[in-house]
Structures are given as C-alpha cells and as structure tokens.
Amino acid sequence: MDSENDQGRPGLPRRTFLRIAGVSAAGAVVAACGPDSAPAPVASTAPAATTSAPPATRPPTGPPNWDDLRSQLTGGLLRPGGDGYATAKRGFNELFDSNNPVAVATASTVQDVQTCVRAAAGRVSLAARSGGHSYAGYSVPESGLVIDLAALNKIDVQGGKAVIGAGAKLKDVYAGLARAGRALPAGSCPTVGIAGLTLGGGIGVLARKYGLTCDHLSSAQVVAADGRMLTASASSEPDLFWALRGGGGGNFGIVTEFTFDTDPAPAELTVFSLRFPAGSAAGVLAAWQQWIAAMPPELWANLVLSGGSPVQCRVGGCYVGGTAGLTTLLNNLTTNAGARPAQRVVKSLDYLGAMNYFAGSSNRQSFVASSRMITTPVDAAKVVAVADGRPGMDLLIDGLGGAVAVPAKDATAFWHRDALASVQVYAPATAKNRANVTQAVGEAVAGLAAAGAGGGYVNYIDPALPDWKAAYYGDNAQRLQDVARKYDPQIVFRFGQGVVS
C-alpha cells in the first residue's frame, strides 16, 4: 500500500505478503527517509489568507542568492560538495542517488518553508520532501531545491483530533496514536511520510473498515506559491481542500501540517497469511476477487503473485475482530480457491502490534514500480501470465471497497472509489539493469491492461504509465488543473507528472 505500499511496496525488503506505503508522488509534497528532529511550531499560528488567489507578479529571473537564503533559515542549507549534502539529498529509492539537487534546505520551522518558497519560486524547481518515497524520484530533483520537512514531525493527539506535521513518518504516527488509544487508516512502510501518503489518497490495511487516510483529513496548513500560509478545510479554501485529498503530492502548495479526525483504536486485530501451493495462483486469484467483494468491511486482504516459474501465490490481511469471526471468512476463500493453503498463520494483536506486523524494514531499496486498478474482476489466468517467468517481480493486489467506496467519485480528488483492488507492480533493480527492468515493468502494466485492469494509483507514480493523468485522476483531472492554476497561476510547483505539467 502506500508504501500505500502507497506508498507499501518500498520499505519491505523482507518478502512479506504486503508492501504498502505512501507513498507516493512527489514534487512539492511527497513522502524521504530522514531522522526526526525538533518538532515544528504549529503552522496554524501563521495568519490565514483573506483571499485565495495570489497577486499577479512578474516572474523572477536568475538563481536564488544561496548565501542570503542560508542566512535567513533556522535550519540548514546544503550545497553540492558541502558536508552532509551527499546524505541529505537521498530519497528512499537508491536508483536516484545519482540525482544532484542544486541545494537541500532542512526546514526546522514553517517560516523556513515560506522563506524557501519566496526566495526560490520561479527560479529553480521546488520539491518538498516528507518521506522521500516518490517512486519516480521526484523528491530528488536534478538541479532543483529540496525542502526537507523531516523536522516538522510533531504528533499531537487530543481527543478525536490528531495534528501531525508533514515530516512525520508512519512508524511514529502509529506509535503516537496508539499511546492515545486512537487509530488512523494509513500505509504500512514505516518510513513513508504522512504528507505524500495523504495527498495521494492513502491506501492501507484498515481502509475497507475506516476509509483512506485522506478521508480523515479535516484541515491542512499550506504554504502557497507566493509564500502565504493558507488553511484548507471544508469552510476555508474548499477547492484546495478538495484537491489535497487525492490530487497527489507536488501540486498546489506545500502542506506543513495536517489535522485528522481519528477513530478509537480497535481492541483486537487479527492478522493472517495463507501461502498456497505452486500451480494454484490462477484459481486462487479468481476466487479471491469474488471473495473480497463479498466480505464485510472489517476484513481487508491482499493477494501477492511472486514472479517465476511457477508463479507463487499468497494471501494476507487484517480483520477488525477476533479469530473466531475471521476463521469462517477464510474458510469461505479456501473452499472456493481450488487449493488448500500449504501454510496458514493467524494471530491476534493490538492496534500498534498489527501496524508493526505489516511494517517490514526501514532500509532503503532500489526498484522500479507502477500500478493498475481493478474495477471489475479481471481474467485471472492472464494476470498470472504477467508474472510468469519474471523472478523477482511482485504483483501486489490490495483489496478496496468497503468504506473506500462510500464517498462519491468526485467528493474528493481520489477518483478510484469504485475499485475492487489496486495492483502494484514492483521489481528490484540496479543502475546496471534498470533499463531492462523498466521495460519488464512496462510490459507487465500492459499485460494487466489486457487482462482488464486499467487506471493507476498516483502514490505509485510512474512516468511511463500510458495516459497517466487520466489513469490517476479520471474525470477529476480537469478540476485539479483548475485548482492548480487558481492557487499557483505561474505553476511554481511543477514537475514531470504534475496536474499541470
């Protein structure tokens, strides 16, 4: 998941049945791996804007005065060749380690973010980074300015509200929520940033019960293209608020702080893993599609096809409740799958224990990935054929429906409300074999489309995805472009797959 996986795909070097992050897209708010530091001041203390549209100004010319910018920042400004730059510039995916941003600003306050935007907007590309999990490397822009939000990592849970800084990582978000007895549906990869995950939607192991991460967003503090601070909510800047819930990171402005409505943490979660014998993948996938569509929202499950000859298949997930209720539901799957699991693991955990169960490793990875969405059941044999003979490649099929499907498709920017599942294509890669792996992933995406899976999930952003804007946003794409032009008329927040690009 938001890695839904996403994010979430990256972040799980051990071969678990789930890769969920959040991950996600990029440019001006994405998910980078960086140490937590001092909490940021509350962004809402900044004055709210009285008008939505920024005043017209003449575009600046020439690069920023880096020495002047450095002197104005509470945090640091690292330049190529300087101490700490080589580490500070890195995102999660090692394939982009050769990218060299022109500078990395380590923002320690919201005012640092505003200062960076005012100094550099229109002069160099801007990429705000909360977790650095952009699948396409947009949070490590070549010759751009990275605004690292890692220090804006406050997590303040009061009653049913959680105020979370854009730099907070999921592992810390879950721990903070658990201490307060609260829950928020989110991704699995522990180092995914809350920002990229939320802005792209936020698929996770509790999504069918509680919805997407963005469905719990009640307000956000946003640094606009001219450096003003805006509050986006249902009653303040409602167009911007709509766009921030699924429109993807890197657009509209830089979110520095989120306020979420949380739920009471479930008293008991039961996690499970079923590994099926070789040769059973097509039958299991066919049965799984019918099964997940009929399941109560308390049950979330995914199915992972691991490439090779033969393709391996496993099903895992999470149930809001005890083992007795889950056992009946799992028996419904195994009875119709055409094969009995070769291995079956079921265990009961508390909320934090379950989130840690899915988390995997925080180690950086090197990979190529993409996605498709399943709206109606696809041809299972064709999907399995996509992974046949491709060792190392995983197709991670995460169940949706339930609470995800309750809002209308245009109620938020997240378009895929009617999806049965998302499919993430994930393949390890190195700098040496990157071109071949990219080609293989592209062939897998085409094969999924031929099997009946279309669209895509923006938190698994892929520059090579055909017709990507329609795939990610559907009929919401035009409204997203209109919102971007309203709040950022000069398109300061621009990158290769921005809603205006």
Short mmCIF file of all heavy atoms in Angstrom, two decimals, residues 185-245:
data_model
loop_
_atom_site.label_atom_id
_atom_site.label_comp_id
_atom_site.label_asym_id
_atom_site.label_seq_id
_atom_site.Cartn_x
_atom_site.Cartn_y
_atom_site.Cartn_z
N PRO A 185 -6.39 5.15 9.51
CA PRO A 185 -6.02 4.24 8.43
C PRO A 185 -4.90 4.85 7.59
O PRO A 185 -5.00 5.99 7.14
CB PRO A 185 -7.31 4.09 7.62
CG PRO A 185 -8.06 5.37 7.87
CD PRO A 185 -7.72 5.76 9.28
N ALA A 186 -3.83 4.11 7.39
CA ALA A 186 -2.69 4.63 6.64
C ALA A 186 -1.90 3.45 6.07
O ALA A 186 -2.34 2.30 6.16
CB ALA A 186 -1.81 5.50 7.54
N GLY A 187 -0.75 3.71 5.49
CA GLY A 187 0.03 2.69 4.83
C GLY A 187 0.86 1.86 5.80
O GLY A 187 0.73 1.97 7.02
N SER A 188 1.75 1.05 5.24
CA SER A 188 2.50 0.11 6.07
C SER A 188 3.98 0.41 6.18
O SER A 188 4.59 0.13 7.21
CB SER A 188 2.33 -1.32 5.54
OG SER A 188 2.89 -1.44 4.27
N CYS A 189 4.58 0.98 5.12
CA CYS A 189 6.02 1.20 5.16
C CYS A 189 6.36 2.20 6.26
O CYS A 189 5.82 3.31 6.29
CB CYS A 189 6.51 1.72 3.81
SG CYS A 189 8.28 2.02 3.77
N PRO A 190 7.25 1.84 7.20
CA PRO A 190 7.45 2.67 8.39
C PRO A 190 8.04 4.04 8.13
O PRO A 190 7.83 4.97 8.91
CB PRO A 190 8.38 1.82 9.26
CG PRO A 190 9.06 0.88 8.31
CD PRO A 190 8.06 0.60 7.25
N THR A 191 8.79 4.20 7.02
CA THR A 191 9.45 5.49 6.78
C THR A 191 8.72 6.35 5.76
O THR A 191 9.21 7.42 5.38
CB THR A 191 10.90 5.28 6.32
OG1 THR A 191 10.91 4.49 5.13
CG2 THR A 191 11.71 4.60 7.41
N VAL A 192 7.56 5.92 5.30
CA VAL A 192 6.75 6.77 4.44
C VAL A 192 6.29 7.99 5.23
O VAL A 192 5.92 7.88 6.40
CB VAL A 192 5.54 5.99 3.88
CG1 VAL A 192 4.43 6.93 3.43
CG2 VAL A 192 5.97 5.12 2.72
N GLY A 193 6.31 9.15 4.61
CA GLY A 193 5.85 10.36 5.27
C GLY A 193 4.34 10.50 5.19
O GLY A 193 3.71 10.10 4.20
N ILE A 194 3.75 11.07 6.21
CA ILE A 194 2.30 11.25 6.24
C ILE A 194 1.83 12.14 5.11
O ILE A 194 0.69 12.01 4.63
CB ILE A 194 1.86 11.82 7.62
CG1 ILE A 194 0.34 11.76 7.78
CG2 ILE A 194 2.37 13.25 7.80
CD1 ILE A 194 -0.22 10.36 7.89
N ALA A 195 2.69 13.04 4.63
CA ALA A 195 2.26 14.02 3.63
C ALA A 195 1.97 13.36 2.29
O ALA A 195 0.86 13.46 1.76
CB ALA A 195 3.32 15.11 3.47
N GLY A 196 2.97 12.70 1.71
CA GLY A 196 2.76 12.08 0.41
C GLY A 196 1.64 11.06 0.43
O GLY A 196 0.84 10.96 -0.50
N LEU A 197 1.60 10.28 1.51
CA LEU A 197 0.54 9.27 1.65
C LEU A 197 -0.84 9.91 1.58
O LEU A 197 -1.69 9.50 0.79
CB LEU A 197 0.71 8.55 2.98
CG LEU A 197 -0.40 7.57 3.35
CD1 LEU A 197 -0.27 6.29 2.55
CD2 LEU A 197 -0.41 7.28 4.84
N THR A 198 -1.07 10.92 2.39
CA THR A 198 -2.39 11.55 2.47
C THR A 198 -2.76 12.24 1.17
O THR A 198 -3.88 12.10 0.67
CB THR A 198 -2.40 12.58 3.62
OG1 THR A 198 -2.04 11.93 4.84
CG2 THR A 198 -3.77 13.21 3.76
N LEU A 199 -1.82 12.97 0.59
CA LEU A 199 -2.12 13.77 -0.60
C LEU A 199 -2.48 12.91 -1.80
O LEU A 199 -3.23 13.33 -2.67
CB LEU A 199 -0.94 14.68 -0.92
CG LEU A 199 -0.64 15.73 0.16
CD1 LEU A 199 0.68 16.42 -0.13
CD2 LEU A 199 -1.77 16.73 0.27
N GLY A 200 -1.96 11.68 -1.84
CA GLY A 200 -2.30 10.78 -2.93
C GLY A 200 -3.52 9.91 -2.65
O GLY A 200 -3.96 9.16 -3.53
N GLY A 201 -4.06 9.97 -1.46
CA GLY A 201 -5.21 9.16 -1.09
C GLY A 201 -4.97 8.44 0.22
O GLY A 201 -5.57 8.75 1.24
N GLY A 202 -4.08 7.45 0.19
CA GLY A 202 -3.72 6.74 1.41
C GLY A 202 -4.40 5.40 1.56
O GLY A 202 -5.34 5.24 2.35
N ILE A 203 -3.92 4.40 0.82
CA ILE A 203 -4.43 3.03 0.92
C ILE A 203 -3.69 2.31 2.05
O ILE A 203 -2.48 2.46 2.20
CB ILE A 203 -4.23 2.28 -0.41
CG1 ILE A 203 -5.10 2.91 -1.51
CG2 ILE A 203 -4.54 0.81 -0.27
CD1 ILE A 203 -4.84 2.34 -2.90
N GLY A 204 -4.41 1.53 2.84
CA GLY A 204 -3.77 0.83 3.94
C GLY A 204 -4.57 -0.37 4.40
O GLY A 204 -5.63 -0.69 3.86
N VAL A 205 -4.07 -1.04 5.44
CA VAL A 205 -4.64 -2.31 5.87
C VAL A 205 -5.97 -2.15 6.61
O VAL A 205 -6.67 -3.15 6.83
CB VAL A 205 -3.65 -3.09 6.77
CG1 VAL A 205 -2.37 -3.37 6.02
CG2 VAL A 205 -3.36 -2.33 8.06
N LEU A 206 -6.34 -0.94 6.96
CA LEU A 206 -7.64 -0.72 7.59
C LEU A 206 -8.58 0.08 6.69
O LEU A 206 -9.63 0.57 7.13
CB LEU A 206 -7.46 0.03 8.92
CG LEU A 206 -6.69 -0.72 10.01
CD1 LEU A 206 -6.52 0.16 11.25
CD2 LEU A 206 -7.39 -2.03 10.38
N ALA A 207 -8.25 0.18 5.41
CA ALA A 207 -9.00 1.04 4.50
C ALA A 207 -10.44 0.58 4.31
O ALA A 207 -11.36 1.40 4.22
CB ALA A 207 -8.30 1.12 3.15
N ARG A 208 -10.67 -0.72 4.22
CA ARG A 208 -12.04 -1.17 3.98
C ARG A 208 -12.95 -0.87 5.17
O ARG A 208 -14.16 -0.66 5.00
CB ARG A 208 -12.06 -2.67 3.66
CG ARG A 208 -11.27 -3.02 2.40
CD ARG A 208 -11.47 -4.46 1.97
NE ARG A 208 -12.76 -4.63 1.30
CZ ARG A 208 -13.80 -5.30 1.78
NH1 ARG A 208 -13.72 -5.89 2.97
NH2 ARG A 208 -14.92 -5.40 1.09
N LYS A 209 -12.41 -0.82 6.35
CA LYS A 209 -13.19 -0.51 7.55
C LYS A 209 -13.31 0.99 7.78
O LYS A 209 -14.40 1.50 8.09
CB LYS A 209 -12.55 -1.17 8.78
CG LYS A 209 -13.20 -0.79 10.11
CD LYS A 209 -14.64 -1.25 10.22
CE LYS A 209 -15.19 -0.97 11.62
NZ LYS A 209 -16.63 -1.32 11.72
N TYR A 210 -12.21 1.74 7.62
CA TYR A 210 -12.18 3.14 8.02
C TYR A 210 -11.99 4.12 6.87
O TYR A 210 -12.05 5.33 7.09
CB TYR A 210 -11.08 3.36 9.05
CG TYR A 210 -11.27 2.57 10.32
CD1 TYR A 210 -10.43 1.50 10.65
CD2 TYR A 210 -12.29 2.90 11.21
CE1 TYR A 210 -10.61 0.77 11.82
CE2 TYR A 210 -12.47 2.18 12.39
CZ TYR A 210 -11.62 1.11 12.68
OH TYR A 210 -11.81 0.39 13.85
N GLY A 211 -11.75 3.64 5.66
CA GLY A 211 -11.54 4.53 4.52
C GLY A 211 -10.08 4.85 4.28
O GLY A 211 -9.17 4.27 4.88
N LEU A 212 -9.84 5.78 3.37
CA LEU A 212 -8.50 6.23 3.04
C LEU A 212 -8.00 7.22 4.09
O LEU A 212 -8.77 7.82 4.82
CB LEU A 212 -8.49 6.90 1.67
CG LEU A 212 -9.01 6.09 0.48
CD1 LEU A 212 -9.07 6.97 -0.76
CD2 LEU A 212 -8.13 4.87 0.25
N THR A 213 -6.68 7.41 4.12
CA THR A 213 -6.11 8.41 5.01
C THR A 213 -6.70 9.78 4.74
O THR A 213 -7.07 10.52 5.66
CB THR A 213 -4.58 8.47 4.86
OG1 THR A 213 -4.03 7.15 4.91
CG2 THR A 213 -3.95 9.30 5.96
N CYS A 214 -6.84 10.14 3.46
CA CYS A 214 -7.33 11.47 3.11
C CYS A 214 -8.78 11.68 3.52
O CYS A 214 -9.23 12.82 3.69
CB CYS A 214 -7.15 11.74 1.62
SG CYS A 214 -8.27 10.83 0.53
N ASP A 215 -9.53 10.60 3.72
CA ASP A 215 -10.92 10.72 4.14
C ASP A 215 -11.05 11.23 5.57
O ASP A 215 -12.12 11.67 5.99
CB ASP A 215 -11.64 9.38 4.00
CG ASP A 215 -11.76 8.93 2.56
OD1 ASP A 215 -11.71 9.79 1.66
OD2 ASP A 215 -11.89 7.71 2.32
N HIS A 216 -9.96 11.15 6.33
CA HIS A 216 -9.96 11.60 7.72
C HIS A 216 -9.37 12.99 7.88
O HIS A 216 -9.29 13.50 9.00
CB HIS A 216 -9.22 10.59 8.59
CG HIS A 216 -9.95 9.30 8.75
ND1 HIS A 216 -10.57 8.93 9.92
CD2 HIS A 216 -10.20 8.29 7.86
CE1 HIS A 216 -11.15 7.75 9.77
NE2 HIS A 216 -10.94 7.35 8.52
N LEU A 217 -8.95 13.60 6.78
CA LEU A 217 -8.35 14.93 6.85
C LEU A 217 -9.43 15.97 7.10
O LEU A 217 -10.42 16.04 6.36
CB LEU A 217 -7.61 15.25 5.55
CG LEU A 217 -6.85 16.58 5.51
CD1 LEU A 217 -5.71 16.59 6.50
CD2 LEU A 217 -6.34 16.84 4.09
N SER A 218 -9.26 16.78 8.15
CA SER A 218 -10.24 17.85 8.42
C SER A 218 -9.70 19.23 8.07
O SER A 218 -10.47 20.14 7.78
CB SER A 218 -10.69 17.81 9.87
OG SER A 218 -9.60 18.02 10.77
N SER A 219 -8.37 19.40 8.08
CA SER A 219 -7.79 20.66 7.63
C SER A 219 -6.30 20.48 7.39
O SER A 219 -5.69 19.52 7.87
CB SER A 219 -8.02 21.78 8.66
OG SER A 219 -7.27 21.56 9.83
N ALA A 220 -5.74 21.42 6.64
CA ALA A 220 -4.30 21.38 6.35
C ALA A 220 -3.77 22.80 6.29
O ALA A 220 -4.47 23.73 5.84
CB ALA A 220 -4.04 20.66 5.02
N GLN A 221 -2.54 22.97 6.74
CA GLN A 221 -1.82 24.24 6.62
C GLN A 221 -0.93 24.15 5.39
O GLN A 221 -0.12 23.23 5.26
CB GLN A 221 -0.98 24.50 7.87
CG GLN A 221 -1.80 24.59 9.15
CD GLN A 221 -2.81 25.73 9.12
OE1 GLN A 221 -2.47 26.85 8.76
NE2 GLN A 221 -4.04 25.44 9.51
N VAL A 222 -1.08 25.12 4.48
CA VAL A 222 -0.43 25.05 3.18
C VAL A 222 0.34 26.33 2.89
O VAL A 222 -0.23 27.43 2.97
CB VAL A 222 -1.48 24.81 2.06
CG1 VAL A 222 -0.78 24.58 0.72
CG2 VAL A 222 -2.40 23.65 2.40
N VAL A 223 1.61 26.20 2.54
CA VAL A 223 2.38 27.33 2.05
C VAL A 223 2.13 27.45 0.56
O VAL A 223 2.42 26.52 -0.21
CB VAL A 223 3.89 27.15 2.33
CG1 VAL A 223 4.68 28.31 1.71
CG2 VAL A 223 4.15 27.07 3.83
N ALA A 224 1.55 28.57 0.15
CA ALA A 224 1.19 28.79 -1.24
C ALA A 224 2.40 29.20 -2.07
O ALA A 224 3.49 29.43 -1.54
CB ALA A 224 0.09 29.84 -1.34
N ALA A 225 2.19 29.32 -3.37
CA ALA A 225 3.29 29.60 -4.29
C ALA A 225 3.95 30.94 -4.04
O ALA A 225 5.11 31.13 -4.41
CB ALA A 225 2.77 29.54 -5.73
N ASP A 226 3.23 31.88 -3.42
CA ASP A 226 3.83 33.18 -3.11
C ASP A 226 4.31 33.28 -1.67
O ASP A 226 4.66 34.36 -1.19
CB ASP A 226 2.83 34.31 -3.40
CG ASP A 226 1.56 34.19 -2.59
OD1 ASP A 226 1.42 33.18 -1.85
OD2 ASP A 226 0.70 35.08 -2.68
N GLY A 227 4.30 32.15 -0.94
CA GLY A 227 4.80 32.12 0.42
C GLY A 227 3.75 32.37 1.49
O GLY A 227 4.06 32.28 2.68
N ARG A 228 2.51 32.71 1.09
CA ARG A 228 1.46 32.91 2.08
C ARG A 228 1.09 31.57 2.74
O ARG A 228 1.21 30.52 2.13
CB ARG A 228 0.21 33.49 1.43
CG ARG A 228 0.34 34.90 0.88
CD ARG A 228 -0.95 35.30 0.16
NE ARG A 228 -1.30 34.34 -0.87
CZ ARG A 228 -2.54 34.03 -1.22
NH1 ARG A 228 -3.56 34.58 -0.60
NH2 ARG A 228 -2.77 33.17 -2.20
N MET A 229 0.58 31.65 3.96
CA MET A 229 0.07 30.47 4.65
C MET A 229 -1.44 30.43 4.52
O MET A 229 -2.13 31.40 4.86
CB MET A 229 0.48 30.48 6.13
CG MET A 229 -0.04 29.28 6.92
SD MET A 229 0.63 27.71 6.33
CE MET A 229 2.35 27.91 6.82
N LEU A 230 -1.96 29.31 4.00
CA LEU A 230 -3.39 29.12 3.85
C LEU A 230 -3.86 27.98 4.75
O LEU A 230 -3.12 27.01 4.96
CB LEU A 230 -3.74 28.78 2.40
CG LEU A 230 -3.29 29.77 1.31
CD1 LEU A 230 -3.67 29.22 -0.07
CD2 LEU A 230 -3.90 31.14 1.54
N THR A 231 -5.09 28.08 5.23
CA THR A 231 -5.75 26.98 5.90
C THR A 231 -6.78 26.39 4.95
O THR A 231 -7.69 27.11 4.49
CB THR A 231 -6.44 27.44 7.19
OG1 THR A 231 -5.46 27.94 8.10
CG2 THR A 231 -7.19 26.29 7.85
N ALA A 232 -6.63 25.12 4.63
CA ALA A 232 -7.55 24.45 3.72
C ALA A 232 -8.45 23.51 4.53
O ALA A 232 -7.96 22.65 5.27
CB ALA A 232 -6.79 23.65 2.67
N SER A 233 -9.75 23.72 4.41
CA SER A 233 -10.72 22.88 5.10
C SER A 233 -12.04 22.97 4.34
O SER A 233 -12.12 23.66 3.31
CB SER A 233 -10.91 23.33 6.55
OG SER A 233 -11.57 24.59 6.59
N ALA A 234 -13.07 22.33 4.85
CA ALA A 234 -14.37 22.39 4.18
C ALA A 234 -14.92 23.80 4.15
O ALA A 234 -15.69 24.16 3.25
CB ALA A 234 -15.35 21.45 4.88
N SER A 235 -14.54 24.65 5.11
CA SER A 235 -15.06 26.01 5.19
C SER A 235 -14.05 27.08 4.81
O SER A 235 -14.40 28.25 4.74
CB SER A 235 -15.58 26.28 6.61
OG SER A 235 -14.53 26.13 7.56
N SER A 236 -12.82 26.71 4.56
CA SER A 236 -11.77 27.66 4.20
C SER A 236 -10.98 27.10 3.02
O SER A 236 -10.40 26.03 3.13
CB SER A 236 -10.84 27.89 5.40
OG SER A 236 -9.72 28.68 5.04
N GLU A 237 -10.96 27.82 1.92
CA GLU A 237 -10.30 27.34 0.69
C GLU A 237 -10.81 25.94 0.33
O GLU A 237 -10.04 24.99 0.18
CB GLU A 237 -8.78 27.33 0.86
CG GLU A 237 -8.18 28.57 1.48
CD GLU A 237 -8.31 29.81 0.60
OE1 GLU A 237 -8.72 29.68 -0.57
OE2 GLU A 237 -8.01 30.91 1.10
N PRO A 238 -12.14 25.78 0.14
CA PRO A 238 -12.69 24.43 -0.08
C PRO A 238 -12.19 23.76 -1.36
O PRO A 238 -12.08 22.53 -1.40
CB PRO A 238 -14.20 24.67 -0.11
CG PRO A 238 -14.36 26.14 -0.42
CD PRO A 238 -13.20 26.81 0.21
N ASP A 239 -11.90 24.53 -2.41
CA ASP A 239 -11.37 23.92 -3.63
C ASP A 239 -10.00 23.29 -3.38
O ASP A 239 -9.70 22.18 -3.85
CB ASP A 239 -11.25 24.96 -4.75
CG ASP A 239 -12.59 25.38 -5.31
OD1 ASP A 239 -13.56 24.61 -5.14
OD2 ASP A 239 -12.67 26.47 -5.91
N LEU A 240 -9.17 24.01 -2.64
CA LEU A 240 -7.86 23.49 -2.30
C LEU A 240 -8.00 22.25 -1.40
O LEU A 240 -7.30 21.26 -1.60
CB LEU A 240 -7.03 24.57 -1.60
CG LEU A 240 -5.62 24.20 -1.16
CD1 LEU A 240 -4.78 23.74 -2.34
CD2 LEU A 240 -4.95 25.38 -0.44
N PHE A 241 -8.89 22.31 -0.45
CA PHE A 241 -9.13 21.17 0.44
C PHE A 241 -9.56 19.95 -0.35
O PHE A 241 -9.09 18.83 -0.11
CB PHE A 241 -10.19 21.55 1.47
CG PHE A 241 -10.49 20.48 2.49
CD1 PHE A 241 -9.49 19.99 3.31
CD2 PHE A 241 -11.77 19.98 2.63
CE1 PHE A 241 -9.76 19.00 4.25
CE2 PHE A 241 -12.05 19.00 3.56
CZ PHE A 241 -11.05 18.51 4.38
N TRP A 242 -10.42 20.15 -1.32
CA TRP A 242 -10.85 19.04 -2.19
C TRP A 242 -9.64 18.43 -2.90
O TRP A 242 -9.47 17.21 -2.95
CB TRP A 242 -11.87 19.55 -3.21
CG TRP A 242 -12.29 18.53 -4.22
CD1 TRP A 242 -13.29 17.61 -4.11
CD2 TRP A 242 -11.71 18.34 -5.52
NE1 TRP A 242 -13.36 16.84 -5.25
CE2 TRP A 242 -12.40 17.27 -6.13
CE3 TRP A 242 -10.68 18.95 -6.23
CZ2 TRP A 242 -12.10 16.80 -7.41
CZ3 TRP A 242 -10.36 18.49 -7.50
CH2 TRP A 242 -11.06 17.43 -8.08
N ALA A 243 -8.79 19.28 -3.46
CA ALA A 243 -7.66 18.80 -4.26
C ALA A 243 -6.62 18.07 -3.42
O ALA A 243 -5.96 17.14 -3.92
CB ALA A 243 -7.00 19.97 -4.99
N LEU A 244 -6.45 18.49 -2.17
CA LEU A 244 -5.43 17.86 -1.32
C LEU A 244 -5.79 16.44 -0.94
O LEU A 244 -4.93 15.70 -0.47
CB LEU A 244 -5.24 18.69 -0.04
CG LEU A 244 -4.68 20.10 -0.21
CD1 LEU A 244 -4.58 20.79 1.14
CD2 LEU A 244 -3.33 20.10 -0.92
N ARG A 245 -7.03 16.04 -1.13
CA ARG A 245 -7.46 14.69 -0.74
C ARG A 245 -7.48 13.80 -1.97
O ARG A 245 -8.52 13.46 -2.51
CB ARG A 245 -8.84 14.76 -0.07
CG ARG A 245 -8.79 15.45 1.29
CD ARG A 245 -10.17 15.67 1.86
NE ARG A 245 -10.92 16.64 1.09
CZ ARG A 245 -12.26 16.72 1.08
NH1 ARG A 245 -12.98 15.86 1.79
NH2 ARG A 245 -12.86 17.66 0.36
#
